[in-house]
Amino acid sequence: MLSTTGSERVVTFALEVSESGSVKVGTKVSVVLPDGSSAKGAVSSVGRSAEPGDDPQDKTPKIGVTVAFDDPDKVGGIDQAPVTVNLTGETRKAVLTVPVDALLALADGGFGVQVVQHGKAREVKVELGLFGQGRVEVSGGGLREGMKVGVPKI
């Protein structure tokens, strides 16, 4: 009987179960290698069993994730080394965004923003989309690119 292991370079890491919804097979990633260069890849498998992490100080349940490189021949070097995996979650283009701080909780439920036009302010109900980097995607009647929105000062 003969058993073999693959020679393809991959990255494996443990991801908190609470973050598992943001990763699926095919999710694009960028991996920062030990020499500082980057290599593109995609998630090739996502574990289905949660286990505590290796860190004795952090027993948060985690699942295993494996990343395969788009061009594995360009990834050389040592067999095992720490790397940084940058996950690209869902991406949307040509959307309106506002600072998260601009959101208002409306009395009838949902959210709105305060739009400032011609020196006057009015509330506009909005539907929320993706959140990222302190901003949120918004849509709704009465909104257009370039409008000013009110943001409270702290």
Side-chain angles (χ1 to χ4, degrees), residues 22-133:
S22 64
V23 165
K24 59 185 176 189
V25 172
T27 299
K28 297 293 183 190
V29 302
S30 172
V31 179
V32 180
L33 302 169
D35 67 1
S37 65
S38 292
K40 295 194 180 299
V43 172
S44 59
S45 71
V46 178
R48 297 174 52 90
S49 298
E51 297 179 9
D54 294 334
D55 182 353
Q57 302 297 318
D58 179 11
K59 295 297 183 187
T60 307
K62 295 180 176 54
I63 57 169
V65 178
T66 302
V67 169
F69 292 102
D70 291 349
D71 190 354
D73 292 337
K74 290 188 176 180
V75 181
I78 57 181
D79 289 337
Q80 293 186 14
V83 297
T84 301
V85 178
N86 297 308
L87 296 168
T88 304
E90 191 172 339
T91 302
R92 299 207 184 144
K93 296 182 180 187
V95 298
L96 295 175
T97 67
V98 298
V100 172
D101 293 345
L103 293 177
L104 304 171
L106 300 178
D108 62 345
F111 292 93
V113 294
Q114 182 184 61
V115 175
V116 181
Q117 281 184 300
H118 309 296
K120 296 185 179 185
R122 63 183 169 91
E123 287 182 4
V124 175
K125 187 169 185 161
V126 296
E127 295 295 322
L128 305 181
L130 295 178
F131 285 76
Q133 298 178 340

